[in-house]
């Protein structure tokens, strides 16, 4: 019931920090049982499950020295030091010897919501680890940070809380900046960008003008979500699952408005083909982008339109349909068009004027038009519901108009259907029920004929003549008999096309006068207009002419001259104004002069989609303070393309696609040299939290109402057993974790280590506070070791002579240290980024590092352990920078031990000692003033280089062990020659040959093994041997013999 502490005195007592858990035991645990471990091995933070305490323990000897690990003191001290010395601001300036190699390390910048969540902690811990590692390797590093600050949440907050969006946003930025500094992230704050400042969005507007200048920014009508009560446009997020406005509760309508678009579709082929060059992108992300672009190759087919009385229109313009299956043309039963198709507008036009190349001479009756109008509105309303994608609706209505099949001459009814989208192809499709499941279901629902025109390889056909009253054959029945097929085959029932293969028929149809080959894309042009206030104003002006009566016609739409940028957002605004964008109510801002004729004009009141702001921010960082141009090409080309881009996979489509588009545009126009901004993408998985849910109601239950009974969770209010799942952290699910709480209680370094250690970066990370115990215990053990080494060195009486260590154990430790250096270096560098195995390797090394105070004074074994420990601290620094900095300051003062033993070690050790264990002697360029005591100096770990592996000191091994896993399950081990280490192809071949030999020797089973995916190899080491786990993904076909 709150925080409380207890000190316990006993010979090897621990200081216990007690923290109540949310789950209380029915019986208290005896204190003696809590303290039953009396070893001096520094057991820290052991969690006793089903008890109300977490225990953190420190050895009594460490306490007596007054060096208890106080993470708050240590982290505050080094954060102040970094801030005071601007330690990270200019770290991209190369160290000696590394001037030619750069690393641009970037994590996706956040929306400043006001508080970090664990997803932020994960992505920024990863980027900081990579940046620090590369700095220590002497590379030039650019590791900047900024804010994606425009957007709807600030506007909503202004409405709900009465806070101006700018004020709310800037407060949140300051809060999050403080949290990031507490995490110890080494961002270059001198290059900070903020998308909502005029200094930034001036160049966003400049980018719009350049796109407009080259014909890539244009206007056309498009539907928006319209609130009829508040008379305003709503974002999709402001429409609930029932299609109602979050503001007024009104049913949201679809309204046509002129809006601005970027012509991204003209870059569809470069965007799609460019994916082939992105070798270091996850295949999943490339597939998602390829599907979003959705290139389809087929044919455009023209169907003449007629009205119900079979009289062709006076101007029989064609209804144009795109299809990838022109071979099935003779099987068409109907045509389906989108509700927004121009044919609908023509049918509803009483004037009979020509519109979008379609003219209907004979109009529908007034009653038919009213019915058609109602059906169109109903379809649009249904399609815009948030749950529409899950309904699999096949709703459709007959328009009263037919078309003519250009091959068979058959009359085909034209339907409006909710599954047809105006923004794909031509907004019209042909329905071929026998060879498409969706079309089949639509035809069944609307009782339309089904005609097979493609014969599959095998056919039974017993179901194809099933009576109509029996419902007709289902797709499953057709598939069972081989008649229903969506695949290519041989044409039947197709007149002159009969007997052709599908490929031959497609080519034949495409050569006819009514058809032409065509490529289409799922990718639509980028709608960038937002009828809201908090965004970058679109720099366009509408000239309305001069004079009160408009005696001189206007000049139309004109771009704002570049020397008048930025068009600054006004601050005196009523955010709740009705009737479109709130900017339209700011008359002083709205009214201006035409830049072409000087006549009266008004500004564009739409603002830009926030994706525009984030589509180029990474190009600004190298030259973030440039007020004369969007960036200096020399500076940006120096850093681009970036070396690693880190962010959540939820941004895999739109943000990455839009950024690639803008980069390709700027590259094509000569502003930058690279065409792909992110050749190396590290897409980290979600951070999920333990979630409790009522299985009957589906309601989420806060952890404070959860009690464990026999390891099963129950709701204390209803005594119902709950379902436990791991889901994305959310306030509504009561599974969120406040990073501030983690930092306060455990420290930033412990949290960073858990983030890196618990799961590979690309996989989901299931956050559990219990997991903090292990990393914290390990850090405390290292902390104590550092101070033990310092105490040993300080009290060491330097012998007149020292012996060279001959013990095998010390040779093993030196070899293991260099093995660990090689592994951690590989794990932290591209393309691996295997942070979890890097931490595991350091833990493994630490288990072999010991200080024995009983050794003779002239025995340098403890000195060898000190060297290994120093190397470990250097490798730990990128991942846990605060404690590593403090421990390095401690062990760097072990000069007494260095003086005693360094000169008597083997030459192979002493010659390369600084390259793998750092320098011992403080100098003016690697010390810093202690913020707590100006008379002390602290060795600065950032002045040290990354440890280098000395191959001469590696343990010699003729063989190593391969652990074979098939389908994720261990199947055995194999001794492999050391020469095959790292050779995946050779290892795979050896393992498969061994498995086949074993299978062939089995008297009852013959196994045929086929490799279906690339073999992956992960190496782990021990002090004596090396074990490699090789996962072979295989397909087995087994025959059992009698």
């Amino acid at each position: 019931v709150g925080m409380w502490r207890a000190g316990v005195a006993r010979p090897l007592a621990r200081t216990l920090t007690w923290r109540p858990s949310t789950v209380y035991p029915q019986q208290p645990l005896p204190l003696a049982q809590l303290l039953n471990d009396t070893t001096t091995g520094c057991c820290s933070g052991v969690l006793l499950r089903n008890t109300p305490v977490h225990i953190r323990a420190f050895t009594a000897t460490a306490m007596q020295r007054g060096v208890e690990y106080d993470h708050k003191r240590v982290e505050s001290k080094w954060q102040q030091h970094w801030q005071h010395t601007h330690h990270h601001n200019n770290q991209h300036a190369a160290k000696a010897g590394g001037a030619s190699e750069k690393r641009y390390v970037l994590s996706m910048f956040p929306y400043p919501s006001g508080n970090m969540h664990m997803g932020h902690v994960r992505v920024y811990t990863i980027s900081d680890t990579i940046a620090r590692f590369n700095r220590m390797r002497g590379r030039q590093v650019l590791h900047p940070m900024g804010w994606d600050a425009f957007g709807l949440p600030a506007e909503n907050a202004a409405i709900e809380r009465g806070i101006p969006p700018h004020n709310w946003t800037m407060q949140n930025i300051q809060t999050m900046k403080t949290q990031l500094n507490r995490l110890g992230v080494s961002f270059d704050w001198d290059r900070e960008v903020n998308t909502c400042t005029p200094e930034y969005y001036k160049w966003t507007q400049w980018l719009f003008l350049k796109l407009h200048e080259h014909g890539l920014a244009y206007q056309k009508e498009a539907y928006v979500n319209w609130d009829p009560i508040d008379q305003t446009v709503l974002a999709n997020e402001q429409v609930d699952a029932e299609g109602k406005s979050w503001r007024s509760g009104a049913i949201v309508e679809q309204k046509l408005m002129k809006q601005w678009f970027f012509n991204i579709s003209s870059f569809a082929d470069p965007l799609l083909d460019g994916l082939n060059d992105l070798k270091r992108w996850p295949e999943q992300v490339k597939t998602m982008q390829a599907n979003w672009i959705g290139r389809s190759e087929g044919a455009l087919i023209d169907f003449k339109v007629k009205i119900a009385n079979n009289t062709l229109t006076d101007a029989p313009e064609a209804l144009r349909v795109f299809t990838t299956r022109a071979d099935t043309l003779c099987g068409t039963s109907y045509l389906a068009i989108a509700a927004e198709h121009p044919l609908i507008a023509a049918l509803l036009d009483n004037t009979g004027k020509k519109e979008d190349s379609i003219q209907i001479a004979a109009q529908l009756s007034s009653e038919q038009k009213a019915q058609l109008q109602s059906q169109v509105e109903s379809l649009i309303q249904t399609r815009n519901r948030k749950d529409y994608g899950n309904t699999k609706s096949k709703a459709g209505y007959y328009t009263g108009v037919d078309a003519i099949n250009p091959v068979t001459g058959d009359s085909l009814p034209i339907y409006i259907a909710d599954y047809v989208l105006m923004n794909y192809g031509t907004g019209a499709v042909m329905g071929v029920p026998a060879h498409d499941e969706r079309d089949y279901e639509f035809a069944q629902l609307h009782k339309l004929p089904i005609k097979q025109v493609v014969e599959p390889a095998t056919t039974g056909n017993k179901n194809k003549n099933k009576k109509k009253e029996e419902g007709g054959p289902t797709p499953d029945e057709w598939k069972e008999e081989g008649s229903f097929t969506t695949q290519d085959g041989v044409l039947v029932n197709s007149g002159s096309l009969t007997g052709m293969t599908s490929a031959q028929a497609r080519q034949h149809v495409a050569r006819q006068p009514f058809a032409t080959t065509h490529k289409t894309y799922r990718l639509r042009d980028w709608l960038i207009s937002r009828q809201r206030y908090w965004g970058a104003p679109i720099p366009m002006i509408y000239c309305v002419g001069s004079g009160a009566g408009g005696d001189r016609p206007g000049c139309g739409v004109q771009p704002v001259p570049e020397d008048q940028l930025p068009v600054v957002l006004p601050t005196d605004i009523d955010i709740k104004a009705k009737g479109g964008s709130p900017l339209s109510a700011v008359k002083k801002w709205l009214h201006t002069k035409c830049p072409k004729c000087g006549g009266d004009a008004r500004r564009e009141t739409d603002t830009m989609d926030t994706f525009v702001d984030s589509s180029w921010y990474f190009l600004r960082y190298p030259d973030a303070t440039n007020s004369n141009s969007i960036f200096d090409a020399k500076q940006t080309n120096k850093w681009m393309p970036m070396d690693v881009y880190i962010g959540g996979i939820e941004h895999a489509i739109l943000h990455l696609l839009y950024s690639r588009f803008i980069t390709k545009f700027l590259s094509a126009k000569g502003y930058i040299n690279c065409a792909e901004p992110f050749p190396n993408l590290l897409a980290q998985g979600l951070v999920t939290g333990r979630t409790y849910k009522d299985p009957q109601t589906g309601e989420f239950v806060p952890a404070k109402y959860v009690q464990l009974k026999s390891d099963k969770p129950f709701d204390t209010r209803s005594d119902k057993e709950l379902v436990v799942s791991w889901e994305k952290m959310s306030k509504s699910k009561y599974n969120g974790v406040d990073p501030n709480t983690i930092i306060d209680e455990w420290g930033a370094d412990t949290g960073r280590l858990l983030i890196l250690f618990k799961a590979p970066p690309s996989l989901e990370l299931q956050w559990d506070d219990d997991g903090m115990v292990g990393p914290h215990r390990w850090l405390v053990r290292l902390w104590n070791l550092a101070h033990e080494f310092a105490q040993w060195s300080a009290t060491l009486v330097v012998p007149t002579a020292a012996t060279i260590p001959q013990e095998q154990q010390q040779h093993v430790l030196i070899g293991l240290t260099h093995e660990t250096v090689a592994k951690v270096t590989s794990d932290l560098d591209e393309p691996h980024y295997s942070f979890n195995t890097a931490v595991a390797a350091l833990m493994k090394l630490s288990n072999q590092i010991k200080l024995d105070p009983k050794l003779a004074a002239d025995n340098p074994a403890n000195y060898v352990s000190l060297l290994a420990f120093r190397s470990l601290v250097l490798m730990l620094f990128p991942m846990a920078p605060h404690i590593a900095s403090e421990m390095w300051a401690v062990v760097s003062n072990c000069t007494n031990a260095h003086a005693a033993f360094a000169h008597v070690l083997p030459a192979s050790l002493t010659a390369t000692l600084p390259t793998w264990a750092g320098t011992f002697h403080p100098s003016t360029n690697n010390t810093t003033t202690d913020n707590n005591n100006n008379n002390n100096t602290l060795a600065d770990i950032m002045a040290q280089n990354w440890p280098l592996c000395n191959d001469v000191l590696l343990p010699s091994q003729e063989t190593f062990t391969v652990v074979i896993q098939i389908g994720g399950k261990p199947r055995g081990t194999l001794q492999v020659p050391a020469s095959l280490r790292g050779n995946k192809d050779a290892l795979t071949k050896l393992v498969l040959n061994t498995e086949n030999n074993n299978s062939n020797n089995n008297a009852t089973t013959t196994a045929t093994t086929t490799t279906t995916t690339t073999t992956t190899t992960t190496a782990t080491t021990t002090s004596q041997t090396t074990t490699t786990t090789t996962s072979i993904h295989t397909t087995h076909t087994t025959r059992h013999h009698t």
Side-chain angles (χ1 to χ4, degrees):
V1 189
M3 295 291 294
W4 61 284
R5 296 175 181 269
V8 182
R10 48 189 296 179
L12 294 173
R14 311 292 199 269
T15 293
L16 303 179
T17 300
W18 300 65
R19 180 172 67 85
S21 153
T22 57
V23 182
Y24 294 86
Q26 295 184 355
Q27 297 296 329
L29 201 63
L31 185 59
Q33 186 173 343
L34 298 177
L35 300 175
N36 61 1
D37 176 15
T38 59
T39 65
T40 60
C42 199
C43 172
S44 167
V46 177
L47 172 68
L48 303 175
R49 292 187 178 278
N50 298 330
T51 69
V53 296
H54 292 273
I55 303 174
R56 297 184 195 163
F58 308 94
T59 59
T61 54
M63 289 176 56
Q64 291 166 3
R65 292 193 300 269
V67 288
E68 176 182 340
Y69 175 42
D70 182 350
H71 66 265
K72 292 183 179 179
R73 180 189 67 81
V74 170
E75 292 174 0
S76 175
K77 167 185 171 179
W78 286 99
Q79 287 163 13
Q80 289 178 40
H81 160 63
W82 295 331
Q83 186 176 10
H84 176 71
T85 60
H86 296 279
H87 197 76
H88 305 293
N89 289 9
N90 298 305
Q91 285 300 323
H92 57 273
K95 295 179 182 178
S100 62
E101 198 172 5
K102 63 92 178 175
R103 287 294 185 272
Y104 185 177
V105 180
L106 186 63
S107 46
M108 295 179 184
F109 66 171
Y111 177 80
S113 59
N115 289 290
M116 286 200 311
H117 52 67
M118 295 310 296
H120 290 132
V121 173
R122 189 179 196 189
V123 66
Y124 301 132
T125 295
I126 290 172
S127 75
D128 189 56
T129 298
I130 296 172
R132 290 179 183 275
F133 165 74
N134 280 285
R135 291 190 192 109
M136 292 186 73
R137 298 200 72 187
R139 293 163 173 164
Q140 300 181 67
V141 175
L142 179 61
H143 186 219
M145 184 53 167
W147 310 97
D148 192 9
F150 275 135
L152 188 62
E155 204 160 314
N156 290 344
I159 295 172
E160 295 172 355
R161 308 174 193 180
I163 305 174
H166 179 269
N167 296 356
W168 187 81
T169 300
M170 299 309 291
Q171 291 170 10
N172 290 348
I173 287 175
Q174 191 55 48
T175 299
M176 291 186 71
K177 195 170 181 179
T178 300
Q179 293 174 327
L180 286 170
N181 286 331
R182 289 195 68 197
L183 190 61
V185 183
S186 58
F187 288 129
D188 185 351
W189 290 111
D190 284 349
R191 297 172 182 269
E192 180 180 10
V193 300
N194 181 344
T195 63
C196 74
T197 62
E199 293 77 14
Y200 182 89
Y201 66 71
K202 169 184 179 178
W203 301 110
T204 303
Q205 293 171 341
W206 176 91
L207 184 60
F208 177 98
L209 293 179
K210 290 301 172 184
L211 289 163
H212 183 266
E213 176 185 324
H214 291 90
L216 295 173
Y218 67 95
Q219 268 187 314
K220 71 175 182 179
E221 286 191 333
Y223 282 95
V224 297
N225 299 316
W226 180 257
D227 184 327
I229 293 180
D230 279 351
Q231 296 288 296
T232 189
V233 175
L234 302 174
N236 290 334
E237 301 93 320
Q238 295 176 313
V239 182
D240 65 21
E242 297 179 352
K244 295 181 179 180
S245 167
W246 75 292
R247 292 174 60 168
S248 69
I251 295 294
V252 175
E253 300 174 353
Q254 294 297 299
K255 183 176 181 180
L256 272 176
M257 292 182 64
K258 265 199 170 182
Q259 303 189 72
W260 288 97
F261 290 79
F262 286 165
N263 187 10
I264 189 175
S265 61
S266 63
F267 280 71
D269 283 327
L271 288 169
L272 184 61
D273 297 338
L275 294 174
N276 296 326
D277 299 326
L278 301 177
K279 307 300 183 184
R280 294 183 181 176
W281 275 37
E283 287 300 322
Q284 177 188 4
V285 175
K286 291 200 288 186
T287 299
M288 292 167 70
Q289 287 224 350
N291 290 341
W292 189 264
I293 297 169
R295 182 166 63 196
S296 299
E297 298 184 8
L300 292 174
I301 299 178
D302 292 336
F303 292 79
K304 290 186 177 181
V305 178
K306 66 173 187 175
I307 56 175
N309 62 4
N310 292 325
T311 302
L312 290 177
T313 59
D314 292 341
E317 301 289 349
L319 176 62
R320 182 158 289 181
V321 170
F322 173 78
T323 180
T324 59
R325 294 298 307 270
D327 55 315
T328 64
L329 179 58
C330 293
T332 305
S333 297
Y334 66 96
L335 300 183
I337 61 176
E340 303 89 349
H341 195 280
L343 176 61
I344 300 299
L347 287 170
L348 297 175
D349 184 6
N350 289 318
T351 64
K353 68 180 180 180
K354 186 174 182 179
E355 181 174 341
D356 289 340
S357 79
I358 295 179
Q359 183 180 9
I360 303 298
Q363 299 298 307
L364 301 178
S365 66
S366 299
E367 184 179 346
Q368 288 174 315
K369 289 180 182 178
Q371 184 180 10
L372 181 60
Q373 181 69 54
S374 174
Q375 292 166 347
V376 168
E377 293 174 355
S378 176
L379 282 180
I380 293 176
Q381 192 69 42
T382 300
R383 197 180 58 209
N384 283 279
R385 288 171 56 98
K386 283 195 173 182
D387 60 352
Y388 169 73
N390 301 321
T391 62
K392 297 182 179 180
S393 171
K394 296 296 179 291
Y397 302 98
Y398 176 49
T399 61
V401 177
D402 292 349
I404 301 297
N405 189 314
V407 174
T408 66
D410 294 340
S411 181
L412 306 174
I414 301 174
Y415 282 76
I416 50 172
D418 61 356
Y419 67 83
V420 183
L421 303 178
M422 193 61 221
N423 59 7
Y424 179 77
T426 63
V429 300
M430 58 187 210
V432 186
H435 305 293
D436 183 277
E437 290 192 20
R438 180 201 58 200
D439 295 350
Y440 182 90
E441 293 169 2
F442 189 92
Q444 288 283 83
L445 179 65
H446 298 279
K447 303 187 184 321
L448 297 169
I450 300 173
K451 179 183 178 183
Q452 180 188 1
V453 293
V454 176
E455 187 80 33
T458 59
T459 179
N461 291 341
K462 74 177 183 180
N463 280 312
K464 74 175 181 179
N465 295 319
K466 195 172 184 180
K467 293 181 180 179
K468 194 173 183 180
E469 56 268 22
E470 297 176 359
T474 66
D476 287 340
E477 290 174 334
W478 278 43
K479 287 178 182 178
E480 181 184 348
E481 296 302 324
S483 299
F484 181 94
T485 180
T486 59
Q487 305 301 315
D488 284 0
V490 177
L491 268 64
V492 296
N493 304 323
S494 300
S496 61
L497 303 178
T498 298
M500 294 184 182
T501 65
S502 292
Q504 292 170 337
R506 284 194 289 269
Q507 294 176 2
H508 178 82
V509 170
R511 291 193 296 266
Q512 304 310 305
F514 55 80
T516 182
T517 57
H518 185 70
K519 287 192 297 187
T520 192
Y521 303 86
R522 183 179 181 272
L523 178 66
R524 298 297 93 195
D525 281 346
W526 178 5
L527 171 60
I528 63 109
S529 283
R530 297 294 181 268
Q531 293 75 33
R532 295 190 292 276
Y533 164 67
W534 194 234
I538 294 177
M540 301 299 287
I541 290 173
Y542 298 89
C543 179
V544 296
S546 60
D551 54 342
R552 187 174 57 77
C555 304
V557 184
Q558 297 296 320
V560 173
E562 289 184 25
D563 60 4
Q564 294 181 21
L565 296 180
V567 178
V568 180
L569 272 177
T571 56
D572 52 338
I573 189 167
D574 179 9
I575 200 71
K576 299 180 181 180
K578 298 181 179 182
S581 170
L583 289 171
S584 60
V586 187
K587 304 303 180 184
K588 184 178 180 181
W589 178 90
L590 179 68
H591 297 297
T592 185
K593 295 296 181 181
C594 174
K596 184 176 181 180
C597 70
D600 293 339
R602 60 178 178 82
R603 297 189 185 278
E604 172 62 76
T605 58
D606 284 359
T607 55
M608 283 187 250
D609 177 15
T610 56
F611 275 121
V612 182
D613 307 317
S614 61
S615 68
W616 72 276
Y617 77 105
F618 48 88
L619 299 171
R620 180 71 173 172
Y621 280 134
D623 195 23
T625 59
N626 193 330
S627 60
N628 298 317
S629 64
I630 187 170
F631 49 73
D632 179 83
K634 183 177 179 180
Q635 287 296 319
T636 298
N637 285 330
K638 173 185 175 181
W639 291 103
M640 290 297 293
M642 72 179 63
D643 296 276
V644 58
Y645 194 36
I646 309 152
I649 200 168
E650 64 269 23
H651 304 293
I653 298 180
L654 294 182
H655 165 60
L656 295 178
L657 188 68
Y658 293 153
S659 298
R660 294 179 62 221
F661 161 61
I662 294 298
T663 301
K664 287 184 181 296
F665 165 72
L666 291 173
S667 175
K669 301 307 174 185
Y671 291 100
I672 53 176
N673 293 339
C674 65
E676 287 290 351
F678 321 121
N680 189 4
L681 177 66
L682 178 55
Q684 99 277 357
L686 292 173
V687 179
T688 58
R690 183 187 282 112
T691 308
Y692 300 100
K693 185 161 49 175
D694 187 314
Q696 278 79 42
T697 65
E699 294 180 354
F700 296 101
V701 177
K704 65 181 180 180
Y705 298 125
V706 178
Q707 182 179 30
L708 293 182
K709 298 179 182 179
S710 301
D711 291 331
K712 296 180 179 179
F714 285 81
D715 190 332
T716 57
R717 300 166 299 178
S718 63
D719 204 34
K720 286 183 180 179
E721 185 176 349
L722 302 173
V723 174
V724 179
S725 61
W726 294 89
E727 302 190 27
K728 183 178 179 181
M729 289 185 176
S730 168
K731 290 181 181 179
S732 63
K733 298 175 182 177
Y734 308 106
N735 66 346
V737 175
D738 183 2
N740 284 322
T741 302
I742 297 298
I743 295 173
D744 288 340
E745 188 172 348
W746 297 96
D749 286 336
T750 302
R752 287 169 63 120
L753 272 183
L754 181 59
I755 285 283
L756 297 172
F757 178 61
K758 190 164 186 181
S762 60
L763 300 183
E764 173 186 311
L765 190 154
Q766 296 181 348
W767 182 268
D768 190 342
D769 286 356
D770 297 354
M772 300 294 291
V773 175
H776 186 79
R777 179 194 306 135
W778 183 59
L779 289 180
V780 171
R781 179 177 180 276
L782 297 181
W783 173 270
N784 290 334
L785 266 175
H787 288 86
E788 289 168 8
F789 279 123
Q791 187 179 44
W792 164 74
S793 177
T795 59
L796 181 67
V797 177
V798 181
T800 57
T803 59
I804 298 174
Q806 298 296 330
E807 294 86 347
Q808 177 65 23
Q809 180 182 359
Q810 297 309 314
H811 288 296
V812 168
L813 179 58
I814 293 170
L816 177 59
T817 300
H818 284 266
E819 240 181 25
T820 305
V821 169
K823 175 163 181 54
V824 174
T825 303
S826 174
D827 285 347
L828 296 188
D829 209 354
E830 58 185 30
H832 302 108
Y833 302 124
S834 300
F835 310 108
N836 56 323
T837 57
V839 175
L842 294 181
M843 290 179 173
K844 187 175 187 178
L845 174 61
S846 71
N847 291 336
Q848 305 302 318
I849 299 176
K850 300 174 183 178
L851 187 145
D852 187 353
K854 297 178 182 179
L855 288 178
D858 62 351
N859 191 326
N862 284 336
Y863 177 65
V864 173
S865 291
L866 172 61
L867 297 179
F869 183 78
R870 286 166 59 90
S871 185
L872 185 152
V873 172
L874 289 172
M875 291 184 282
L876 177 65
F877 173 73
M879 295 175 275
H882 307 90
I883 192 172
S885 295
E886 185 72 10
M887 290 191 298
W888 184 257
V890 171
V891 297
S892 286
N893 291 325
C894 297
T895 54
N896 202 23
H898 184 64
F901 296 112
H903 66 285
V904 297
L905 292 179
S908 59
L909 285 178
T910 55
T912 60
L913 188 60
T915 67
W916 59 274
T919 57
F920 271 90
H921 301 291
S923 61
T924 56
N925 66 344
N926 72 351
T927 61
T928 182
T929 300
D930 184 344
N931 292 318
N932 297 324
N933 187 338
N934 292 328
N935 295 323
N936 292 337
T937 58
L938 300 175
D940 192 340
I941 195 171
M942 275 301 294
Q944 301 294 322
N945 290 318
W946 181 259
L948 298 178
C949 173
N950 187 340
D951 293 341
V952 175
L953 300 177
L954 285 172
S956 60
Q957 293 177 330
E958 295 182 358
T959 64
F960 64 101
T961 303
V962 174
V963 179
I964 305 168
Q965 295 183 6
I966 299 178
K969 297 181 180 179
R971 298 297 188 187
T973 61
L974 197 65
Q975 289 297 314
V976 174
S979 61
L980 296 184
R981 185 191 306 276
N983 190 332
K984 293 182 181 180
D985 293 338
L987 282 174
T988 302
K989 183 176 180 181
L990 182 62
V991 170
L992 291 177
N993 286 341
T994 302
E995 185 186 30
N996 282 328
N997 290 336
N998 291 339
S999 298
N1000 291 333
N1001 291 332
N1002 190 317
T1004 60
T1005 303
T1006 300
T1008 302
T1009 305
T1010 304
T1011 302
T1012 57
T1013 63
T1014 303
T1015 304
T1016 58
T1017 304
T1018 303
T1020 59
T1021 62
T1022 68
S1023 59
Q1024 302 295 331
T1025 62
T1026 300
T1027 301
T1028 296
T1029 301
T1030 300
S1031 299
I1032 310 294
H1033 300 272
T1034 61
T1035 301
H1036 295 280
T1037 304
T1038 302
R1039 294 196 306 271
H1040 295 278
H1041 301 278
T1042 58

